Amino acid sequence: MKIKTICAWCGGFISETNCPETKNFQALAKDGVMISHGLCPACRLAIETKYGLNKKGDDKNV
């Protein structure tokens, strides 16, 4: 079975890996592929810039 990770914001492909099948994989997968979401580097940078996140020496964004 494969797990495919796509960007939650832009829908772009991030990665695809093989994983062991579980007893419920057929209910979770479509055509043997499970979809997971993350953020691609471009969207992550855009979000950090827009909201002022990931700045050093300040805990206001915690």
Side-chain angles (χ1 to χ4, degrees):
M1 180 175 68
K2 294 185 184 233
I3 294 181
K4 185 177 185 179
T5 305
I6 59 172
C7 181
W9 280 51
C10 72
F13 174 81
I14 297 174
S15 68
E16 185 174 282
T17 58
N18 290 317
C19 67
E21 295 178 357
T22 65
K23 66 179 185 176
N24 297 321
F25 84 95
Q26 290 179 335
L28 301 172
K30 181 176 181 180
D31 298 326
V33 177
M34 291 178 59
I35 302 294
S36 181
H37 292 86
L39 290 174
C40 69
C43 289
R44 181 176 157 245
L45 181 59
I47 292 166
E48 287 176 351
T49 301
K50 181 176 181 176
Y51 296 104
L53 302 175
N54 203 23
K55 293 186 177 186
K56 307 279 186 217
D58 190 353
D59 63 357
K60 291 181 183 177
N61 295 317
V62 175

